Amino acid sequence: MAARDDWLPAQHVTSLPPPPSNSYQISSKIKFELKDKKVEKKARKIIHDCKNFTSTHNIFHEKINMKELDYALENTDLNKTPGPDGIHGQMISNLGKNGKEILLDIFNNSWKTGKLPQDWETATIIPIKKLDKSADDPKNYRPISLTSICCKLMEKIIPRRLYLPP
């Protein structure tokens, strides 16, 4: 999935057109105030500078290891509904040593290149009706996102690696 250049973080949104009937399927472009565009431009520069920065810190050069994967497996609810890739958490937990090593190769390639596999960037969004609310009004639903279990595991590994001393 390509990076979204039309998304801008903002606190002050100007008037929006009414959403079309298929608004969940269309990417809308939101217009922001000038001061928010300045913040967005500054944030993009910081991110760009980070991408071009060559770190000498070991956590950026060491491969993700089996201990980190095992930690992520132990601390992730593997019974949740799978994401769009259809991979169940129990499938991952039952991988043998060779399967886990292949998964580590995928994680390490992603860590090295700074890019996620495309399937990890997608989610299936399901509307869930709020308790004691009418099913007739769309406002009475909350969205949940079903994401890839592999991405969830990677999301457990990276913060731990960044915040815990070796």
mmCIF file of all heavy atoms in Angstrom, residues 81-87 117 119-124 145-155:
data_model
loop_
_atom_site.group_PDB
_atom_site.id
_atom_site.type_symbol
_atom_site.label_atom_id
_atom_site.label_comp_id
_atom_site.label_asym_id
_atom_site.label_seq_id
_atom_site.Cartn_x
_atom_site.Cartn_y
_atom_site.Cartn_z
ATOM 1 N N THR A 81 -9.497 -12.813 16.180
ATOM 2 C CA THR A 81 -9.852 -13.066 14.789
ATOM 3 C C THR A 81 -8.709 -12.622 13.875
ATOM 4 O O THR A 81 -8.113 -11.570 14.095
ATOM 5 C CB THR A 81 -11.138 -12.286 14.441
ATOM 6 O OG1 THR A 81 -12.144 -12.637 15.386
ATOM 7 C CG2 THR A 81 -11.616 -12.600 13.050
ATOM 8 N N PRO A 82 -8.395 -13.416 12.846
ATOM 9 C CA PRO A 82 -7.286 -13.045 11.963
ATOM 10 C C PRO A 82 -7.615 -11.832 11.108
ATOM 11 O O PRO A 82 -8.774 -11.493 10.898
ATOM 12 C CB PRO A 82 -7.093 -14.285 11.091
ATOM 13 C CG PRO A 82 -8.400 -14.975 11.119
ATOM 14 C CD PRO A 82 -9.008 -14.674 12.465
ATOM 15 N N GLY A 83 -6.579 -11.206 10.606
ATOM 16 C CA GLY A 83 -6.725 -10.058 9.724
ATOM 17 C C GLY A 83 -6.977 -10.498 8.297
ATOM 18 O O GLY A 83 -7.294 -11.664 8.032
ATOM 19 N N PRO A 84 -6.806 -9.571 7.345
ATOM 20 C CA PRO A 84 -7.092 -9.871 5.944
ATOM 21 C C PRO A 84 -6.201 -10.957 5.340
ATOM 22 O O PRO A 84 -6.562 -11.561 4.340
ATOM 23 C CB PRO A 84 -6.885 -8.548 5.225
ATOM 24 C CG PRO A 84 -6.403 -7.586 6.208
ATOM 25 C CD PRO A 84 -6.415 -8.200 7.556
ATOM 26 N N ASP A 85 -5.056 -11.228 5.954
ATOM 27 C CA ASP A 85 -4.174 -12.272 5.425
ATOM 28 C C ASP A 85 -4.665 -13.674 5.782
ATOM 29 O O ASP A 85 -4.180 -14.667 5.243
ATOM 30 C CB ASP A 85 -2.730 -12.073 5.889
ATOM 31 C CG ASP A 85 -2.576 -12.059 7.402
ATOM 32 O OD1 ASP A 85 -3.555 -12.319 8.135
ATOM 33 O OD2 ASP A 85 -1.453 -11.769 7.868
ATOM 34 N N GLY A 86 -5.626 -13.775 6.722
ATOM 35 C CA GLY A 86 -6.211 -15.067 7.081
ATOM 36 C C GLY A 86 -5.341 -15.929 7.978
ATOM 37 O O GLY A 86 -5.670 -17.085 8.235
ATOM 38 N N ILE A 87 -4.245 -15.389 8.480
ATOM 39 C CA ILE A 87 -3.350 -16.173 9.343
ATOM 40 C C ILE A 87 -3.840 -16.065 10.782
ATOM 41 O O ILE A 87 -3.929 -14.983 11.348
ATOM 42 C CB ILE A 87 -1.896 -15.677 9.226
ATOM 43 C CG1 ILE A 87 -1.407 -15.839 7.789
ATOM 44 C CG2 ILE A 87 -0.990 -16.422 10.201
ATOM 45 C CD1 ILE A 87 -0.041 -15.242 7.520
ATOM 46 N N PRO A 117 5.582 -5.610 4.932
ATOM 47 C CA PRO A 117 4.902 -6.321 3.847
ATOM 48 C C PRO A 117 3.530 -5.690 3.616
ATOM 49 O O PRO A 117 2.867 -5.243 4.557
ATOM 50 C CB PRO A 117 4.768 -7.751 4.394
ATOM 51 C CG PRO A 117 5.888 -7.882 5.380
ATOM 52 C CD PRO A 117 6.032 -6.516 5.991
ATOM 53 N N ASP A 119 0.598 -6.793 3.004
ATOM 54 C CA ASP A 119 -0.539 -7.365 3.733
ATOM 55 C C ASP A 119 -0.640 -6.835 5.155
ATOM 56 O O ASP A 119 -1.718 -6.822 5.739
ATOM 57 C CB ASP A 119 -0.446 -8.893 3.780
ATOM 58 C CG ASP A 119 -0.777 -9.535 2.456
ATOM 59 O OD1 ASP A 119 -1.297 -8.828 1.562
ATOM 60 O OD2 ASP A 119 -0.519 -10.739 2.294
ATOM 61 N N TRP A 120 0.456 -6.430 5.739
ATOM 62 C CA TRP A 120 0.446 -5.922 7.107
ATOM 63 C C TRP A 120 -0.127 -4.513 7.179
ATOM 64 O O TRP A 120 -0.489 -4.044 8.249
ATOM 65 C CB TRP A 120 1.850 -5.912 7.683
ATOM 66 C CG TRP A 120 2.469 -7.254 7.869
ATOM 67 C CD1 TRP A 120 1.973 -8.463 7.462
ATOM 68 C CD2 TRP A 120 3.705 -7.536 8.500
ATOM 69 N NE1 TRP A 120 2.826 -9.464 7.802
ATOM 70 C CE2 TRP A 120 3.905 -8.929 8.440
ATOM 71 C CE3 TRP A 120 4.667 -6.747 9.107
ATOM 72 C CZ2 TRP A 120 5.034 -9.543 8.972
ATOM 73 C CZ3 TRP A 120 5.785 -7.361 9.631
ATOM 74 C CH2 TRP A 120 5.966 -8.739 9.573
ATOM 75 N N GLU A 121 -0.163 -3.825 6.060
ATOM 76 C CA GLU A 121 -0.638 -2.443 6.045
ATOM 77 C C GLU A 121 -2.143 -2.340 5.828
ATOM 78 O O GLU A 121 -2.684 -1.245 5.800
ATOM 79 C CB GLU A 121 0.084 -1.666 4.945
ATOM 80 C CG GLU A 121 1.568 -1.520 5.203
ATOM 81 C CD GLU A 121 2.277 -0.750 4.114
ATOM 82 O OE1 GLU A 121 1.661 -0.466 3.074
ATOM 83 O OE2 GLU A 121 3.451 -0.427 4.311
ATOM 84 N N THR A 122 -2.810 -3.468 5.665
ATOM 85 C CA THR A 122 -4.245 -3.437 5.437
ATOM 86 C C THR A 122 -4.973 -3.997 6.650
ATOM 87 O O THR A 122 -4.411 -4.768 7.427
ATOM 88 C CB THR A 122 -4.635 -4.253 4.185
ATOM 89 O OG1 THR A 122 -4.193 -5.598 4.362
ATOM 90 C CG2 THR A 122 -4.031 -3.680 2.936
ATOM 91 N N ALA A 123 -6.211 -3.603 6.802
ATOM 92 C CA ALA A 123 -7.046 -4.088 7.893
ATOM 93 C C ALA A 123 -8.460 -4.284 7.370
ATOM 94 O O ALA A 123 -8.890 -3.596 6.444
ATOM 95 C CB ALA A 123 -7.056 -3.085 9.046
ATOM 96 N N THR A 124 -9.159 -5.222 7.966
ATOM 97 C CA THR A 124 -10.574 -5.396 7.679
ATOM 98 C C THR A 124 -11.318 -4.653 8.772
ATOM 99 O O THR A 124 -11.127 -4.937 9.960
ATOM 100 C CB THR A 124 -10.957 -6.888 7.692
ATOM 101 O OG1 THR A 124 -10.154 -7.572 6.738
ATOM 102 C CG2 THR A 124 -12.428 -7.066 7.365
ATOM 103 N N SER A 145 -10.784 -2.908 13.851
ATOM 104 C CA SER A 145 -9.902 -3.241 12.732
ATOM 105 C C SER A 145 -9.252 -4.590 12.989
ATOM 106 O O SER A 145 -8.639 -4.799 14.030
ATOM 107 C CB SER A 145 -8.815 -2.183 12.580
ATOM 108 O OG SER A 145 -9.385 -0.948 12.277
ATOM 109 N N LEU A 146 -9.417 -5.480 12.054
ATOM 110 C CA LEU A 146 -8.757 -6.778 12.128
ATOM 111 C C LEU A 146 -7.465 -6.670 11.329
ATOM 112 O O LEU A 146 -7.490 -6.453 10.117
ATOM 113 C CB LEU A 146 -9.660 -7.868 11.546
ATOM 114 C CG LEU A 146 -11.043 -7.987 12.161
ATOM 115 C CD1 LEU A 146 -11.848 -9.075 11.449
ATOM 116 C CD2 LEU A 146 -10.958 -8.262 13.641
ATOM 117 N N THR A 147 -6.346 -6.780 12.030
ATOM 118 C CA THR A 147 -5.035 -6.627 11.397
ATOM 119 C C THR A 147 -4.251 -7.935 11.460
ATOM 120 O O THR A 147 -4.594 -8.854 12.201
ATOM 121 C CB THR A 147 -4.229 -5.506 12.069
ATOM 122 O OG1 THR A 147 -4.095 -5.809 13.459
ATOM 123 C CG2 THR A 147 -4.905 -4.164 11.906
ATOM 124 N N SER A 148 -3.194 -7.997 10.709
ATOM 125 C CA SER A 148 -2.360 -9.194 10.609
ATOM 126 C C SER A 148 -1.717 -9.530 11.950
ATOM 127 O O SER A 148 -1.166 -8.664 12.627
ATOM 128 C CB SER A 148 -1.269 -8.958 9.564
ATOM 129 O OG SER A 148 -0.305 -9.983 9.623
ATOM 130 N N ILE A 149 -1.755 -10.811 12.318
ATOM 131 C CA ILE A 149 -1.125 -11.262 13.563
ATOM 132 C C ILE A 149 0.394 -11.054 13.487
ATOM 133 O O ILE A 149 1.028 -10.723 14.486
ATOM 134 C CB ILE A 149 -1.472 -12.740 13.882
ATOM 135 C CG1 ILE A 149 -0.950 -13.150 15.260
ATOM 136 C CG2 ILE A 149 -0.931 -13.676 12.835
ATOM 137 C CD1 ILE A 149 -1.630 -12.488 16.414
ATOM 138 N N CYS A 150 0.966 -11.204 12.299
ATOM 139 C CA CYS A 150 2.413 -10.991 12.153
ATOM 140 C C CYS A 150 2.778 -9.543 12.460
ATOM 141 O O CYS A 150 3.786 -9.271 13.121
ATOM 142 C CB CYS A 150 2.867 -11.373 10.754
ATOM 143 S SG CYS A 150 2.666 -13.132 10.399
ATOM 144 N N CYS A 151 1.939 -8.627 12.011
ATOM 145 C CA CYS A 151 2.180 -7.214 12.293
ATOM 146 C C CYS A 151 2.047 -6.945 13.792
ATOM 147 O O CYS A 151 2.822 -6.190 14.372
ATOM 148 C CB CYS A 151 1.217 -6.348 11.494
ATOM 149 S SG CYS A 151 1.579 -4.588 11.591
ATOM 150 N N LYS A 152 1.071 -7.595 14.436
ATOM 151 C CA LYS A 152 0.897 -7.424 15.882
ATOM 152 C C LYS A 152 2.133 -7.910 16.635
ATOM 153 O O LYS A 152 2.549 -7.297 17.615
ATOM 154 C CB LYS A 152 -0.338 -8.186 16.365
ATOM 155 C CG LYS A 152 -1.640 -7.570 15.914
ATOM 156 C CD LYS A 152 -2.808 -8.429 16.345
ATOM 157 C CE LYS A 152 -4.096 -7.915 15.748
ATOM 158 N NZ LYS A 152 -5.234 -8.781 16.026
ATOM 159 N N LEU A 153 2.709 -9.018 16.184
ATOM 160 C CA LEU A 153 3.923 -9.530 16.825
ATOM 161 C C LEU A 153 5.075 -8.543 16.663
ATOM 162 O O LEU A 153 5.804 -8.268 17.619
ATOM 163 C CB LEU A 153 4.294 -10.896 16.231
ATOM 164 C CG LEU A 153 3.334 -12.035 16.541
ATOM 165 C CD1 LEU A 153 3.691 -13.268 15.727
ATOM 166 C CD2 LEU A 153 3.310 -12.353 18.021
ATOM 167 N N MET A 154 5.219 -8.012 15.460
ATOM 168 C CA MET A 154 6.276 -7.025 15.204
ATOM 169 C C MET A 154 6.052 -5.787 16.068
ATOM 170 O O MET A 154 7.014 -5.194 16.575
ATOM 171 C CB MET A 154 6.280 -6.668 13.720
ATOM 172 C CG MET A 154 7.461 -5.871 13.285
ATOM 173 S SD MET A 154 8.918 -6.906 13.119
ATOM 174 C CE MET A 154 9.927 -5.852 12.124
ATOM 175 N N GLU A 155 4.782 -5.409 16.268
ATOM 176 C CA GLU A 155 4.459 -4.254 17.110
ATOM 177 C C GLU A 155 4.790 -4.499 18.580
ATOM 178 O O GLU A 155 4.917 -3.553 19.357
ATOM 179 C CB GLU A 155 2.983 -3.892 16.964
ATOM 180 C CG GLU A 155 2.657 -3.278 15.626
ATOM 181 C CD GLU A 155 1.167 -3.102 15.402
ATOM 182 O OE1 GLU A 155 0.351 -3.658 16.177
ATOM 183 O OE2 GLU A 155 0.802 -2.408 14.436
#
